């Protein structure tokens, strides 16, 4: 599956936003998007361009957007996901435009000039998710299968076989636990 740089960045931003409050409030994973400093850190970490001064309204809007993205990830079928994506992208007031800023080649931004950080995320993130749906790849939007995790991720493996948000932590921890259980069982 071919994913452009800007689409990948938008998908990564959506996943990072979702994981700021993992599904089901996973133990040890509290909401990390609780104040303006955390929102500013999120914007910086995800290199979201064109964002001016952030205020309390921005924090509330991004937190509400996070819930809408979670509903898209949780959609039971493509039609439901498409309806949620259409509503999200429409509410963001998308204005596709070509740009070549910050040393990147030409790419498309979907947010209107001067858009709020929430509308910026909704437009670019919504369109990135829409591209996956159009390509028949919505099943790549996943939640970690570790019972105590549930972080979101986009499975970009060739055979769509990724099961954990991070194979070094969740995947390895579950494999070690299964190995130890087999050893205990064999020992009697």
């Amino acid at each position: 599956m071919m994913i452009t740089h800007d689409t990948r960045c938008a998908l990564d931003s959506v996943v990072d936003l979702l994981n700021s409050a993992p599904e089901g409030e996973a133990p040890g994973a509290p909401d990390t998007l609780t104040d303006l400093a955390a929102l500013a850190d999120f914007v910086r970490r995800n290199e979201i361009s064109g964002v001016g001064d952030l205020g309390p309204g921005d924090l509330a809007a991004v937190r509400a957007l996070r819930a809408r993205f979670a509903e898209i990830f949780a959609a039971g079928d493509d039609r439901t996901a498409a309806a949620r994506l259409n509503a999200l992208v429409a509410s963001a007031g998308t204005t596709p435009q070509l740009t070549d800023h910050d040393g990147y080649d030409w790419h498309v931004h979907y947010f209107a000039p001067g858009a709020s950080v929430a509308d910026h995320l909704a437009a670019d993130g919504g369109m990135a998710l829409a591209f996956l749906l159009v390509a028949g790849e919505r099943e790549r939007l996943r939640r970690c299968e570790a019972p105590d995790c549930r972080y979101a991720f986009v499975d970009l493996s060739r055979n769509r076989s990724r099961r954990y948000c991070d194979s070094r932590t969740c995947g390895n921890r579950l494999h070690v636990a299964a190995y130890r259980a087999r050893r205990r069982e064999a020992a009697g």
Side-chain angles (χ1 to χ4, degrees), residues 108-148:
V108 180
H109 281 181
Y110 294 94
F111 56 93
S116 70
V117 66
D119 284 345
H120 180 132
L121 288 166
D124 278 358
M127 290 304 299
L129 293 172
F131 293 145
L132 284 178
L133 191 143
V134 167
E137 301 286 354
R138 191 178 66 85
E139 73 275 0
R140 289 181 182 273
L141 305 177
R142 302 217 173 126
R143 292 284 183 171
C144 183
E145 290 184 17
D148 60 343

Side-chain angles (χ1 to χ4, degrees), residues 32-52:
T32 60
L33 193 58
T34 57
D35 57 28
L36 287 176
L39 179 58
D41 183 52
F42 172 85
V43 167
R44 208 173 13 264
R45 184 173 60 248
N46 287 283
E47 299 177 0
I48 299 171
S49 61
V51 174

Side-chain angles (χ1 to χ4, degrees), residues 3-177:
I3 295 180
T4 62
H5 170 72
D6 52 318
T7 299
R8 176 64 189 263
C9 289
L11 290 171
D12 289 345
S13 295
V14 169
V15 167
D16 190 22
L17 180 59
L18 285 170
N19 290 338
S20 69
E23 181 181 79
E25 293 298 319
D31 189 340
T32 60
L33 193 58
T34 57
D35 57 28
L36 287 176
L39 179 58
D41 183 52
F42 172 85
V43 167
R44 208 173 13 264
R45 184 173 60 248
N46 287 283
E47 299 177 0
I48 299 171
S49 61
V51 174
D53 293 333
L54 299 170
D58 291 309
L59 179 62
V62 170
R63 288 173 59 93
L65 176 62
R66 178 177 63 189
R68 292 180 78 182
F69 278 133
E71 290 174 355
I72 293 165
F73 262 65
D77 57 66
D78 287 351
R79 187 162 306 282
T80 302
R84 290 174 181 168
L85 277 167
N86 284 337
L88 176 75
V89 170
S91 72
T94 58
T95 307
Q97 57 186 331
L98 287 168
T99 184
D100 67 341
H101 63 89
D102 297 330
Y104 293 109
D105 287 335
W106 289 105
H107 59 282
V108 180
H109 281 181
Y110 294 94
F111 56 93
S116 70
V117 66
D119 284 345
H120 180 132
L121 288 166
D124 278 358
M127 290 304 299
L129 293 172
F131 293 145
L132 284 178
L133 191 143
V134 167
E137 301 286 354
R138 191 178 66 85
E139 73 275 0
R140 289 181 182 273
L141 305 177
R142 302 217 173 126
R143 292 284 183 171
C144 183
E145 290 184 17
D148 60 343
C149 181
R150 303 300 294 155
Y151 272 122
F153 66 94
V154 178
D155 178 4
L156 296 178
S157 67
R158 282 189 179 181
N159 62 359
R160 299 174 192 90
S161 63
R162 190 169 155 200
R163 297 173 46 205
Y164 306 107
C165 64
D166 185 353
S167 61
R168 291 182 183 173
T169 55
C170 292
N172 191 44
R173 185 170 30 88
L174 289 176
H175 289 114
V176 167

